[in-house]
Amino acid sequence: MVSVFLRSLLYNIVFYLNLAFWVIVGLPTYIMPRWGIIWIATNWGKTSIWWMRIICNTRVEYRGVEKIPKGPLIVASKHQSAWETFALLQFFDEPLYILKRELTWLPFFGWYLLKAGMIGVNRSAGGRTLIDITKRAAEEIRRGRQLLIYPEGTRRAVGAPPAYRNGVSLMYNEAGVPCIPVALNSGLFWPRRTFLRYPGTIVIEFLDPIPPGLPRQEFAPRLQAVIEEASDRLAKAGREEQVRLIGFSAPVVASAES
C-alpha cells in the first residue's frame, strides 16, 4: 500500500505538470482552426495515459475499436472516473462534450473548451435548457461531430446501481445517427474522491453500434443492458487482476454522487 501511495503522489504531480505543459504549448491554437486544440487535447490525454503506465504500472487495453462508425455519432460511455474524459478523445476527429458551464469560466482550460466548440450548460436552468441543448448538440452532430456523453450524467462507483437519465435518448432521437455504447472498468484504477492510482489494466470496450431510428422505449433499455453487462464483466476481471498484483482490490466509494 505504501508503494501505491508514493506512486500515486508522484503521478498526480506529473499529471498536473503535464497539463500545464500542454496548456502552454497549445497557446497558438487560439488563432488556429478547431483541429489545433483537438490535437493538443488528444496528445495531453495520450501522454497522461503514458505517464500512468510508467509511474503506476497501469496499462490500457482498447477493445472493439474497429466497431467505431465513421462520421456523425453518439458515443455513450460508462462513467466511473475522470480518466475516460480524456482517454476517449484519441478515437474521434470531431469530439463534442456537453459540460458544466462553470468549466468554461476557468482561465486557459475553459477558454480551450470554448475554442474546441464544447457546449456549456447551466444545470440549474431547468427543462427548457435540456431541450435547447439537445437541439444544439443534434445540429453539431449532423455536421459531422461525435458526441461523447455519459448516460448517467455523473461518475458512478464501480458496482453502484445504474441510474441512466433521459438525455442520451433525447439526443439519439433528435440527431438520427448511430450510437456506440462503451463499457470500461477505469474506476478500479482511477477511483473518484481519492488521489490514489492503482496498478492493473484499464479496459475500454467499444460495443456493437446501435443503429438510428429505434423508438425510445427500445433504445434506452438496450443501451443500459449492454453497457452494464460488459462493464460488470470488465470490473470482475479487473478486481481479479488487482488481487494478483497487489493482494487486494481497490476500494470504491459506494455513493451514487460524483
mmCIF file of all heavy atoms in Angstrom, residues 20-41 108 111-112 115-116:
data_model
loop_
_atom_site.group_PDB
_atom_site.id
_atom_site.type_symbol
_atom_site.label_atom_id
_atom_site.label_comp_id
_atom_site.label_asym_id
_atom_site.label_seq_id
_atom_site.Cartn_x
_atom_site.Cartn_y
_atom_site.Cartn_z
ATOM 1 N N ALA A 20 -0.053 21.465 -17.446
ATOM 2 C CA ALA A 20 0.465 22.819 -17.605
ATOM 3 C C ALA A 20 1.316 22.934 -18.873
ATOM 4 O O ALA A 20 1.247 23.941 -19.598
ATOM 5 C CB ALA A 20 1.292 23.211 -16.380
ATOM 6 N N PHE A 21 2.107 21.898 -19.138
ATOM 7 C CA PHE A 21 2.937 21.894 -20.348
ATOM 8 C C PHE A 21 2.087 22.025 -21.604
ATOM 9 O O PHE A 21 2.351 22.865 -22.475
ATOM 10 C CB PHE A 21 3.761 20.604 -20.396
ATOM 11 C CG PHE A 21 4.445 20.365 -21.713
ATOM 12 C CD1 PHE A 21 5.619 21.017 -22.017
ATOM 13 C CD2 PHE A 21 3.894 19.494 -22.648
ATOM 14 C CE1 PHE A 21 6.256 20.800 -23.240
ATOM 15 C CE2 PHE A 21 4.509 19.273 -23.871
ATOM 16 C CZ PHE A 21 5.704 19.935 -24.167
ATOM 17 N N TRP A 22 1.017 21.224 -21.700
ATOM 18 C CA TRP A 22 0.191 21.244 -22.905
ATOM 19 C C TRP A 22 -0.646 22.507 -22.994
ATOM 20 O O TRP A 22 -0.961 22.979 -24.097
ATOM 21 C CB TRP A 22 -0.680 19.991 -22.970
ATOM 22 C CG TRP A 22 0.109 18.770 -23.348
ATOM 23 C CD1 TRP A 22 0.510 17.747 -22.542
ATOM 24 C CD2 TRP A 22 0.629 18.471 -24.641
ATOM 25 N NE1 TRP A 22 1.244 16.831 -23.236
ATOM 26 C CE2 TRP A 22 1.333 17.253 -24.540
ATOM 27 C CE3 TRP A 22 0.580 19.111 -25.875
ATOM 28 C CZ2 TRP A 22 1.965 16.662 -25.624
ATOM 29 C CZ3 TRP A 22 1.215 18.522 -26.965
ATOM 30 C CH2 TRP A 22 1.897 17.312 -26.837
ATOM 31 N N VAL A 23 -1.012 23.081 -21.858
ATOM 32 C CA VAL A 23 -1.720 24.362 -21.885
ATOM 33 C C VAL A 23 -0.833 25.432 -22.516
ATOM 34 O O VAL A 23 -1.286 26.245 -23.337
ATOM 35 C CB VAL A 23 -2.143 24.778 -20.462
ATOM 36 C CG1 VAL A 23 -2.544 26.248 -20.424
ATOM 37 C CG2 VAL A 23 -3.303 23.916 -19.979
ATOM 38 N N ILE A 24 0.446 25.432 -22.155
ATOM 39 C CA ILE A 24 1.383 26.415 -22.711
ATOM 40 C C ILE A 24 1.645 26.135 -24.187
ATOM 41 O O ILE A 24 1.606 27.050 -25.024
ATOM 42 C CB ILE A 24 2.692 26.407 -21.907
ATOM 43 C CG1 ILE A 24 2.433 26.888 -20.473
ATOM 44 C CG2 ILE A 24 3.746 27.287 -22.589
ATOM 45 C CD1 ILE A 24 3.614 26.706 -19.545
ATOM 46 N N VAL A 25 1.896 24.872 -24.512
ATOM 47 C CA VAL A 25 2.164 24.512 -25.909
ATOM 48 C C VAL A 25 0.963 24.843 -26.796
ATOM 49 O O VAL A 25 1.116 25.204 -27.965
ATOM 50 C CB VAL A 25 2.507 23.007 -26.008
ATOM 51 C CG1 VAL A 25 2.556 22.545 -27.467
ATOM 52 C CG2 VAL A 25 3.844 22.729 -25.331
ATOM 53 N N GLY A 26 -0.234 24.747 -26.217
ATOM 54 C CA GLY A 26 -1.442 24.951 -27.007
ATOM 55 C C GLY A 26 -1.838 26.396 -27.221
ATOM 56 O O GLY A 26 -2.825 26.665 -27.931
ATOM 57 N N LEU A 27 -1.107 27.356 -26.670
ATOM 58 C CA LEU A 27 -1.498 28.763 -26.802
ATOM 59 C C LEU A 27 -1.688 29.203 -28.254
ATOM 60 O O LEU A 27 -2.640 29.937 -28.563
ATOM 61 C CB LEU A 27 -0.482 29.655 -26.095
ATOM 62 C CG LEU A 27 -0.488 29.583 -24.557
ATOM 63 C CD1 LEU A 27 0.652 30.424 -23.987
ATOM 64 C CD2 LEU A 27 -1.826 30.060 -23.999
ATOM 65 N N PRO A 28 -0.835 28.780 -29.187
ATOM 66 C CA PRO A 28 -1.038 29.202 -30.582
ATOM 67 C C PRO A 28 -2.353 28.713 -31.184
ATOM 68 O O PRO A 28 -2.807 29.279 -32.190
ATOM 69 C CB PRO A 28 0.167 28.594 -31.319
ATOM 70 C CG PRO A 28 1.211 28.430 -30.262
ATOM 71 C CD PRO A 28 0.450 28.064 -29.025
ATOM 72 N N THR A 29 -2.966 27.708 -30.609
ATOM 73 C CA THR A 29 -4.197 27.186 -31.209
ATOM 74 C C THR A 29 -5.379 28.143 -31.058
ATOM 75 O O THR A 29 -6.419 27.937 -31.690
ATOM 76 C CB THR A 29 -4.579 25.819 -30.583
ATOM 77 O OG1 THR A 29 -4.893 25.990 -29.190
ATOM 78 C CG2 THR A 29 -3.454 24.824 -30.729
ATOM 79 N N TYR A 30 -5.238 29.168 -30.235
ATOM 80 C CA TYR A 30 -6.302 30.159 -30.119
ATOM 81 C C TYR A 30 -6.562 30.868 -31.448
ATOM 82 O O TYR A 30 -7.656 31.387 -31.681
ATOM 83 C CB TYR A 30 -5.968 31.193 -29.046
ATOM 84 C CG TYR A 30 -6.163 30.708 -27.635
ATOM 85 C CD1 TYR A 30 -5.122 30.718 -26.723
ATOM 86 C CD2 TYR A 30 -7.403 30.233 -27.208
ATOM 87 C CE1 TYR A 30 -5.298 30.272 -25.421
ATOM 88 C CE2 TYR A 30 -7.589 29.786 -25.909
ATOM 89 C CZ TYR A 30 -6.533 29.805 -25.027
ATOM 90 O OH TYR A 30 -6.712 29.354 -23.743
ATOM 91 N N ILE A 31 -5.553 30.924 -32.302
ATOM 92 C CA ILE A 31 -5.726 31.573 -33.598
ATOM 93 C C ILE A 31 -5.736 30.555 -34.741
ATOM 94 O O ILE A 31 -5.605 30.934 -35.909
ATOM 95 C CB ILE A 31 -4.616 32.618 -33.836
ATOM 96 C CG1 ILE A 31 -3.224 31.964 -33.779
ATOM 97 C CG2 ILE A 31 -4.712 33.754 -32.828
ATOM 98 C CD1 ILE A 31 -2.098 32.907 -34.169
ATOM 99 N N MET A 32 -5.914 29.277 -34.405
ATOM 100 C CA MET A 32 -5.960 28.214 -35.398
ATOM 101 C C MET A 32 -7.376 27.656 -35.501
ATOM 102 O O MET A 32 -8.217 27.907 -34.639
ATOM 103 C CB MET A 32 -4.983 27.090 -35.003
ATOM 104 C CG MET A 32 -3.521 27.497 -34.989
ATOM 105 S SD MET A 32 -2.459 26.209 -34.279
ATOM 106 C CE MET A 32 -2.743 24.854 -35.429
ATOM 107 N N PRO A 33 -7.661 26.888 -36.539
ATOM 108 C CA PRO A 33 -8.948 26.185 -36.598
ATOM 109 C C PRO A 33 -9.085 25.201 -35.432
ATOM 110 O O PRO A 33 -8.111 24.910 -34.717
ATOM 111 C CB PRO A 33 -8.885 25.441 -37.941
ATOM 112 C CG PRO A 33 -7.874 26.191 -38.752
ATOM 113 C CD PRO A 33 -6.866 26.701 -37.751
ATOM 114 N N ARG A 34 -10.279 24.661 -35.264
ATOM 115 C CA ARG A 34 -10.560 23.802 -34.113
ATOM 116 C C ARG A 34 -9.665 22.573 -34.045
ATOM 117 O O ARG A 34 -9.354 22.086 -32.956
ATOM 118 C CB ARG A 34 -12.038 23.366 -34.137
ATOM 119 C CG ARG A 34 -12.450 22.551 -32.904
ATOM 120 C CD ARG A 34 -13.948 22.401 -32.824
ATOM 121 N NE ARG A 34 -14.496 21.765 -34.013
ATOM 122 C CZ ARG A 34 -15.718 22.004 -34.486
ATOM 123 N NH1 ARG A 34 -16.489 22.892 -33.887
ATOM 124 N NH2 ARG A 34 -16.158 21.387 -35.565
ATOM 125 N N TRP A 35 -9.209 22.078 -35.193
ATOM 126 C CA TRP A 35 -8.401 20.864 -35.166
ATOM 127 C C TRP A 35 -7.134 21.041 -34.330
ATOM 128 O O TRP A 35 -6.597 20.075 -33.779
ATOM 129 C CB TRP A 35 -8.032 20.407 -36.581
ATOM 130 C CG TRP A 35 -7.175 21.346 -37.365
ATOM 131 C CD1 TRP A 35 -7.572 22.234 -38.312
ATOM 132 C CD2 TRP A 35 -5.737 21.492 -37.276
ATOM 133 N NE1 TRP A 35 -6.512 22.937 -38.821
ATOM 134 C CE2 TRP A 35 -5.371 22.490 -38.205
ATOM 135 C CE3 TRP A 35 -4.744 20.887 -36.500
ATOM 136 C CZ2 TRP A 35 -4.041 22.892 -38.374
ATOM 137 C CZ3 TRP A 35 -3.428 21.285 -36.676
ATOM 138 C CH2 TRP A 35 -3.082 22.267 -37.596
ATOM 139 N N GLY A 36 -6.647 22.294 -34.201
ATOM 140 C CA GLY A 36 -5.425 22.524 -33.436
ATOM 141 C C GLY A 36 -5.606 22.195 -31.965
ATOM 142 O O GLY A 36 -4.782 21.479 -31.367
ATOM 143 N N ILE A 37 -6.672 22.682 -31.356
ATOM 144 C CA ILE A 37 -6.888 22.420 -29.935
ATOM 145 C C ILE A 37 -7.287 20.961 -29.700
ATOM 146 O O ILE A 37 -6.956 20.380 -28.666
ATOM 147 C CB ILE A 37 -7.938 23.391 -29.345
ATOM 148 C CG1 ILE A 37 -8.024 23.225 -27.827
ATOM 149 C CG2 ILE A 37 -9.293 23.195 -29.979
ATOM 150 C CD1 ILE A 37 -6.731 23.404 -27.079
ATOM 151 N N ILE A 38 -7.968 20.348 -30.674
ATOM 152 C CA ILE A 38 -8.285 18.923 -30.546
ATOM 153 C C ILE A 38 -6.995 18.106 -30.536
ATOM 154 O O ILE A 38 -6.858 17.146 -29.766
ATOM 155 C CB ILE A 38 -9.215 18.462 -31.679
ATOM 156 C CG1 ILE A 38 -10.562 19.219 -31.616
ATOM 157 C CG2 ILE A 38 -9.445 16.955 -31.603
ATOM 158 C CD1 ILE A 38 -11.325 19.016 -30.338
ATOM 159 N N TRP A 39 -6.028 18.499 -31.360
ATOM 160 C CA TRP A 39 -4.737 17.800 -31.391
ATOM 161 C C TRP A 39 -4.022 17.935 -30.049
ATOM 162 O O TRP A 39 -3.467 16.960 -29.525
ATOM 163 C CB TRP A 39 -3.872 18.379 -32.511
ATOM 164 C CG TRP A 39 -2.571 17.665 -32.711
ATOM 165 C CD1 TRP A 39 -2.338 16.573 -33.495
ATOM 166 C CD2 TRP A 39 -1.308 18.001 -32.100
ATOM 167 N NE1 TRP A 39 -1.013 16.200 -33.408
ATOM 168 C CE2 TRP A 39 -0.357 17.053 -32.565
ATOM 169 C CE3 TRP A 39 -0.902 18.996 -31.219
ATOM 170 C CZ2 TRP A 39 0.976 17.093 -32.164
ATOM 171 C CZ3 TRP A 39 0.425 19.022 -30.823
ATOM 172 C CH2 TRP A 39 1.360 18.093 -31.296
ATOM 173 N N ILE A 40 -4.052 19.131 -29.479
ATOM 174 C CA ILE A 40 -3.424 19.355 -28.180
ATOM 175 C C ILE A 40 -4.090 18.490 -27.113
ATOM 176 O O ILE A 40 -3.424 17.813 -26.310
ATOM 177 C CB ILE A 40 -3.500 20.848 -27.787
ATOM 178 C CG1 ILE A 40 -2.574 21.687 -28.673
ATOM 179 C CG2 ILE A 40 -3.163 21.043 -26.305
ATOM 180 C CD1 ILE A 40 -1.105 21.444 -28.458
ATOM 181 N N ALA A 41 -5.420 18.506 -27.066
ATOM 182 C CA ALA A 41 -6.150 17.738 -26.052
ATOM 183 C C ALA A 41 -5.900 16.245 -26.190
ATOM 184 O O ALA A 41 -5.744 15.531 -25.191
ATOM 185 C CB ALA A 41 -7.649 18.036 -26.155
ATOM 186 N N PHE A 108 -7.676 29.796 -19.219
ATOM 187 C CA PHE A 108 -6.950 28.927 -20.141
ATOM 188 C C PHE A 108 -7.733 27.636 -20.412
ATOM 189 O O PHE A 108 -8.156 27.399 -21.543
ATOM 190 C CB PHE A 108 -5.538 28.611 -19.625
ATOM 191 C CG PHE A 108 -4.654 29.816 -19.561
ATOM 192 C CD1 PHE A 108 -4.367 30.414 -18.341
ATOM 193 C CD2 PHE A 108 -4.115 30.369 -20.705
ATOM 194 C CE1 PHE A 108 -3.562 31.543 -18.280
ATOM 195 C CE2 PHE A 108 -3.311 31.501 -20.655
ATOM 196 C CZ PHE A 108 -3.034 32.083 -19.438
ATOM 197 N N TRP A 111 -11.098 28.385 -21.642
ATOM 198 C CA TRP A 111 -11.016 29.031 -22.952
ATOM 199 C C TRP A 111 -10.738 27.993 -24.044
ATOM 200 O O TRP A 111 -11.248 28.110 -25.164
ATOM 201 C CB TRP A 111 -9.914 30.094 -22.943
ATOM 202 C CG TRP A 111 -10.111 31.116 -21.861
ATOM 203 C CD1 TRP A 111 -11.300 31.444 -21.238
ATOM 204 C CD2 TRP A 111 -9.109 31.923 -21.243
ATOM 205 N NE1 TRP A 111 -11.090 32.411 -20.282
ATOM 206 C CE2 TRP A 111 -9.754 32.734 -20.256
ATOM 207 C CE3 TRP A 111 -7.737 32.073 -21.425
ATOM 208 C CZ2 TRP A 111 -9.065 33.647 -19.468
ATOM 209 C CZ3 TRP A 111 -7.046 32.983 -20.633
ATOM 210 C CH2 TRP A 111 -7.703 33.761 -19.681
ATOM 211 N N TYR A 112 -9.956 26.978 -23.697
ATOM 212 C CA TYR A 112 -9.720 25.893 -24.650
ATOM 213 C C TYR A 112 -11.017 25.146 -24.949
ATOM 214 O O TYR A 112 -11.272 24.737 -26.084
ATOM 215 C CB TYR A 112 -8.680 24.919 -24.103
ATOM 216 C CG TYR A 112 -7.257 25.397 -24.223
ATOM 217 C CD1 TYR A 112 -6.397 25.384 -23.131
ATOM 218 C CD2 TYR A 112 -6.748 25.844 -25.434
ATOM 219 C CE1 TYR A 112 -5.088 25.811 -23.225
ATOM 220 C CE2 TYR A 112 -5.440 26.281 -25.556
ATOM 221 C CZ TYR A 112 -4.610 26.256 -24.440
ATOM 222 O OH TYR A 112 -3.309 26.688 -24.562
ATOM 223 N N LYS A 115 -12.906 27.181 -27.375
ATOM 224 C CA LYS A 115 -12.260 27.115 -28.681
ATOM 225 C C LYS A 115 -12.551 25.797 -29.380
ATOM 226 O O LYS A 115 -12.711 25.740 -30.606
ATOM 227 C CB LYS A 115 -10.746 27.298 -28.514
ATOM 228 C CG LYS A 115 -9.946 27.169 -29.798
ATOM 229 C CD LYS A 115 -10.291 28.260 -30.785
ATOM 230 C CE LYS A 115 -9.465 28.131 -32.054
ATOM 231 N NZ LYS A 115 -9.783 29.188 -33.051
ATOM 232 N N ALA A 116 -12.658 24.716 -28.598
ATOM 233 C CA ALA A 116 -12.938 23.394 -29.155
ATOM 234 C C ALA A 116 -14.406 23.204 -29.506
ATOM 235 O O ALA A 116 -14.782 22.152 -30.038
ATOM 236 C CB ALA A 116 -12.497 22.309 -28.163
#
